[in-house]
């Protein structure tokens, strides 16, 4: 697998003393995180500029104009038919897919979450660059996908490459990949705290004192570099969060926010399942993979032509519009826009465009919040007595919907805080985010990223490092110095060759060298003493576990389950279930000890202990 291949020769490019200092010094890790943050900020600014340039060329936009902020699609687009823009981008994306996959077997690129969960932080920078290029084309042509997935992919890929060059330890490399992701999100939103907690919750999987300094430094550096290159206007004017009836927010305001969180959770699950349904539908057409984005792009373009350009691209311009106090839509218009944007996103991702639902979830959540603020008074007479204004509900809905899709409740809470600067509103956001996250976790069980892993057959629920568990296989733990005995060996001969005090377990094989069970030496001597050596006795009479065995590629967890099922303290290891040739022996006690040692090593790594 090319994505997991060690970066051969990279370590030789770095002096040995420098590598040793970086591996053994927390200060060096922080400095490397700062470099990662700066490079991540540059990557975000470059990708954003490239996608915006494509949109300006394809749709004849004025410099800096957002596609999703337009009232109607321009009629002077490059093709003369602006609804063909996403289809053209789909064709270009199909050509990229063909070019990337030409002459070599492809596998899905490893993203930061998967890299840290299964591969100890190792990613392919080449794969990451390819994903970023496809993401730029997808977003730049107007497909309803965000750039955040590409941002984190390329920034984390750079971090992994740097860490591999210094031959960093597994735990430090995972932290550095988290630093790259933190820098990318911080640069995308100008929000260092959001970037840091994105790394903790989604990429590293946990918060530790050891990872605090490098992750925060990377997020700050990424944000500063991106702001210097491409200043981002604030998404929300704090003054727009006026309180209803001039009253202060109170505990009672939590109730409608909790309800809004539940609504966002249900709609988010529907969106995630909708993407899967579209994928199944597109696959059922049997259209070649490179042509599927063009078909999806045509559908999205026609949808934007019939409804509004706000369904196109990530939705930054549209979000600005709907977080402005002067923007007002009817209930019908808001509901229609929510349905259209959700459909455009599902079709875009389901048909093969590269990107994610990060910003889409923010935009949809803001719309759901505003719709909630308009519908609630019609069914809840006391709703007008609550202190939060409609824009405030938009912020709450934005955070709750994104927490359900992305899977980072604290990430979205800090995003709301950094965007609004309002602690009272952030407290309400936290309540809604908790309700949304808990509901999705208990009813659906996945965020969008982990749902995609589940569909691919990977059992990843978070970024917690479970890769070491998979690498701790039976083949690594078993004893190989075993001498099987033929099942036809006379009992007397066996007892002379294996007196009491010799190794207590002997593996049996039949005349064809196939596994035939295990004999306990003390049990063989006891059996002979009972029946007498003059009586006919056979090893097959006392053979145990004839149908219970292990395979070399089993994990420690699978081995433990096999021991429990067989109720045996030791099992033979075979090359395959078909050949049944014995290659080793493994005991339950040794398995549990190795597993415990690995758990302790992981605990020490989490606490920053190197010894």
């Amino acid at each position: 697998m090319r994505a997991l291949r060690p970066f051969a020769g990279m370590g030789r490019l770095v002096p040995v003393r420098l590598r040793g200092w970086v591996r053994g010094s927390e200060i060096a890790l922080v400095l490397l995180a700062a470099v990662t943050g700066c490079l991540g900020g540059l990557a975000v600014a470059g990708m954003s500029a490239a996608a915006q340039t494509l949109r300006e060329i394809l749709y004849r936009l004025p410099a800096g104009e957002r596609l999703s902020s337009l009232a109607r699609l321009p009629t002077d687009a490059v093709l003369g038919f602006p609804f063909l823009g996403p289809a053209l981008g789909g064709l270009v994306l199909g050509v990229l897919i063909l070019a990337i996959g030409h002459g070599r077997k492809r596998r899905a690129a490893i993203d930061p979450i998967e890299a840290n969960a299964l591969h100890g932080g190792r990613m392919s920078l080449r794969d990451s660059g390819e994903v970023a290029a496809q993401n730029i084309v997808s977003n730049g042509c107007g497909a309803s996908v965000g750039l955040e997935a590409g941002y984190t992919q390329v920034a984390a890929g750079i971090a992994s490459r740097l860490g591999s060059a210094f031959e960093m330890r597994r735990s430090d490399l995972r932290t550095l990949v988290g630093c790259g992701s933190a820098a990318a999100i911080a640069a995308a939103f100008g929000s260092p705290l959001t970037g840091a907690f994105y790394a903790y919750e989604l990429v590293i999987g946990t918060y530790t004192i050891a990872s605090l300094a490098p992750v925060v430094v990377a997020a700050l550096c990424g944000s500063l570099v991106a702001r210097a290159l491409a200043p981002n206007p604030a998404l929300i004017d704090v003054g727009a969060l006026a309180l209803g009836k001039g009253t202060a927010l109170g505990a009672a305001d939590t109730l409608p926010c909790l309800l809004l969180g539940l609504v966002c959770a249900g709609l988010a699950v529907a969106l995630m399942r909708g993407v899967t349904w579209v994928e199944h539908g597109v696959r059922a057409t049997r259209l070649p993979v490179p042509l599927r984005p063009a078909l999806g792009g045509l559908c999205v373009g026609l949808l934007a032509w019939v409804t509004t350009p706000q369904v196109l691209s990530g939705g930054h311009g549209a979000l600005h519009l709907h977080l402005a106090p002067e923007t007002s839509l009817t209930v019908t218009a808001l509901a229609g826009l929510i349905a259209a944007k959700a459909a455009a996103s599902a079709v875009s991702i389901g048909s093969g465009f590269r990107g994610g639902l990060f910003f889409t979830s923010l935009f949809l959540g803001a719309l759901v919040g505003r719709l909630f603020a308009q519908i609630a008074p019609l069914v809840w007479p006391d709703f007008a007595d609550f202190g939060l204004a409609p824009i405030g509900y938009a912020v709450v809905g934005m955070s709750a919907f994104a927490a359900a899709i992305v899977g980072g409740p604290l990430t979205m809470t800090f995003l709301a805080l950094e965007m609004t600067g309002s602690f009272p509103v952030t407290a309400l956001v936290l309540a809604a985010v908790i309700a949304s996250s808990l509901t999705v976790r208990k009813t659906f069980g996945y965020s969008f990223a982990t749902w995609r892993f589940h569909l691919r057959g990977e059992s990843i629920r978070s970024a917690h490092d479970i890769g070491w568990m998979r690498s701790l296989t039976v083949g690594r733990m078993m004893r190989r110095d075993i001498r099987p005995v033929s099942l036809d060996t006379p009992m007397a001969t066996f007892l002379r060759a294996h007196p009491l005090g010799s190794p207590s377990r002997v593996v049996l094989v039949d005349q064809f060298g196939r596994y035939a069970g295990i004999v306990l030496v003390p049990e063989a001597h006891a059996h002979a003493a009972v029946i007498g050596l003059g009586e006919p006795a056979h090893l097959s009479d006392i053979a145990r576990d004839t149908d219970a065995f292990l395979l070399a590629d089993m994990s420690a967890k699978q081995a433990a389950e096999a021991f429990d099922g067989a109720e045996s303290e030791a099992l033979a290891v075979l090359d395959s279930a078909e050949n049944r040739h014995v290659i080793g022996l493994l005991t339950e006690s040794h398995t549990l000890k190795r597993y415990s040692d690995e758990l302790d090593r992981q605990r020490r790594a989490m606490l920053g202990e190197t010894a």
Side-chain angles (χ1 to χ4, degrees):
M1 294 181 292
R2 179 171 60 83
L4 302 182
R5 189 173 60 216
F7 299 107
M10 286 189 61
R12 293 195 294 271
L13 300 178
V14 180
V16 175
R17 290 186 178 180
L18 181 58
R19 284 206 313 269
W21 179 65
V22 170
R23 284 170 55 86
S25 171
E26 289 189 29
I27 300 299
L29 178 59
V30 172
L31 292 176
L32 201 56
V35 174
T36 299
C38 293
L39 294 176
L42 286 170
V44 168
M47 287 182 62
S48 178
Q52 178 63 18
T53 300
L54 283 178
R55 290 191 291 270
E56 292 174 1
I57 294 173
L58 193 58
Y59 294 95
R60 305 291 191 188
L61 299 178
E65 182 78 21
R66 292 286 189 178
L67 177 60
S68 60
S69 65
L70 300 178
R72 296 295 301 175
L73 285 176
T75 57
D76 60 342
V78 169
L79 296 177
F81 299 95
F83 60 82
L84 293 179
L88 176 61
L91 289 174
V92 174
L93 182 61
V95 172
L96 283 177
I97 293 173
L98 285 174
I100 289 171
H102 180 68
R104 52 194 170 104
K105 187 177 180 180
R106 296 295 301 166
R107 55 155 289 156
I110 295 172
D111 82 341
I113 298 176
E114 184 182 3
N116 269 10
L118 298 180
H119 308 303
R122 287 197 172 270
M123 299 174 62
S124 166
L125 183 56
R126 179 177 180 177
D127 281 356
S128 297
E130 292 170 353
V131 169
Q134 295 176 53
N135 196 184
I136 291 171
V137 171
S138 300
N139 181 272
C141 74
S144 187
V145 295
L147 285 168
E148 290 75 23
Y151 292 157
T152 56
Q153 181 77 34
V154 72
I158 292 171
S160 180
R161 189 66 173 265
L162 284 173
S164 297
F166 287 95
E167 299 181 1
M168 300 183 74
R169 296 181 180 86
R170 182 185 183 95
S171 60
D172 290 339
L173 185 57
R174 294 181 72 254
T175 298
L176 197 61
V177 168
C179 291
S181 301
I185 296 301
F189 294 97
S191 306
L193 284 176
T194 302
F197 275 87
Y198 179 91
Y200 292 136
E201 291 188 296
L202 300 171
V203 181
I204 300 175
T206 186
Y207 164 82
T208 65
I209 296 297
S211 64
L212 174 62
V215 170
V216 171
V217 166
L220 285 170
C221 290
S223 177
L224 291 174
V225 168
R227 285 183 182 180
L229 296 175
N232 292 321
L235 288 179
I236 302 176
D237 179 6
V238 177
L241 292 171
L243 302 178
K245 295 187 177 181
T247 59
L249 295 176
D253 290 282
T254 305
L255 184 59
C257 292
L258 288 173
L259 180 58
L260 178 55
L262 297 177
V263 171
C264 288
L267 293 176
V269 171
L271 176 59
M272 289 187 280
R273 289 198 177 277
V275 172
T276 305
W277 292 335
V278 172
E279 284 183 333
H280 290 163
V282 172
R283 198 176 297 121
T285 65
R286 300 187 181 278
L287 197 66
V289 173
L291 294 180
R292 293 175 185 176
L295 174 62
L298 180 60
C299 295
V300 171
L302 289 172
L303 182 62
W305 181 259
V306 173
T307 58
T308 170
Q310 293 182 25
V311 304
L312 295 177
S313 198
H316 288 73
L319 183 59
H320 276 281
L321 290 176
H322 291 281
L323 290 179
E326 62 272 11
T327 301
S328 179
L329 293 178
T330 64
V331 169
T332 303
L334 275 173
L337 181 55
I338 291 171
K341 180 62 177 177
S345 298
V347 170
S348 295
I349 296 178
S351 62
F353 282 103
R354 277 288 191 174
L357 292 175
F358 194 121
F359 206 92
T360 294
S361 64
L362 294 175
F363 179 37
L364 284 172
L367 295 177
V368 171
R370 297 207 68 159
L371 181 62
F372 178 84
Q374 292 190 33
I375 292 179
L378 303 178
V379 296
W380 192 346
D382 297 331
F383 184 80
D385 296 332
F386 294 109
L388 199 60
I391 299 299
Y393 284 108
V395 175
V396 173
M398 176 184 70
S399 304
F401 203 105
I405 293 288
V406 178
L410 288 180
T411 300
M412 299 310 159
T413 302
F414 279 104
L415 179 60
L417 175 61
E418 291 182 292
M419 288 168 62
T420 66
S422 172
F423 283 98
V425 171
T426 302
L428 297 179
V429 166
L430 182 59
V433 159
I434 290 173
S436 175
S437 299
L438 185 61
T439 301
V440 171
R441 183 176 181 83
K442 294 302 180 182
T443 61
F444 187 62
Y446 302 91
S447 66
F448 184 64
T450 54
W451 173 240
R452 308 291 283 174
F453 295 142
H454 169 72
L455 295 178
R456 280 166 37 193
E458 291 286 0
S459 56
I460 305 174
R461 293 298 184 101
S462 70
H464 287 285
D465 189 9
I466 61 174
W468 65 268
M469 192 183 303
R470 294 191 178 187
S471 64
L472 188 62
T473 61
V474 168
R476 289 181 55 191
M477 296 184 292
M478 69 182 184
R479 284 177 46 201
R480 299 178 182 272
D481 56 337
I482 59 170
R483 297 179 179 177
V485 172
S486 174
L487 185 64
D488 297 331
T489 302
M491 180 67 76
T493 303
F494 177 85
L495 295 179
R496 284 194 299 271
H498 300 86
L500 291 173
S502 62
S504 60
R505 298 178 186 86
V506 178
V507 177
L508 302 178
V509 294
D510 62 16
Q511 57 181 334
F512 303 106
R514 294 162 57 89
Y515 172 67
I518 294 177
V519 168
L520 299 182
V521 172
E523 187 174 309
H525 281 271
H527 181 74
V530 170
I531 66 173
L533 291 179
E535 298 292 330
H538 305 282
L539 291 177
S540 59
D541 297 336
I542 53 175
R544 293 169 169 256
D545 304 319
T546 55
D547 295 318
F549 51 84
L550 301 173
L551 301 177
D553 59 353
M554 285 183 172
S555 67
K557 181 179 179 181
Q558 292 173 317
E561 292 172 352
F563 285 123
D564 287 340
E567 297 181 354
S568 176
E569 213 282 324
L571 290 174
V573 183
L574 310 186
D575 60 346
S576 69
E578 295 76 23
N579 296 331
R580 294 176 65 92
H581 292 155
V582 180
I583 59 175
L585 183 73
L586 183 64
T587 64
E588 184 180 26
S589 59
H590 182 67
T591 302
L592 296 178
K593 181 180 183 302
R594 287 291 303 275
Y595 187 79
S596 177
D597 290 343
E598 287 293 331
L599 281 177
D600 184 62
R601 187 175 66 83
Q602 293 297 317
R603 179 192 63 79
R604 287 188 281 108
M606 185 180 298
L607 296 176
E609 301 174 4
T610 57

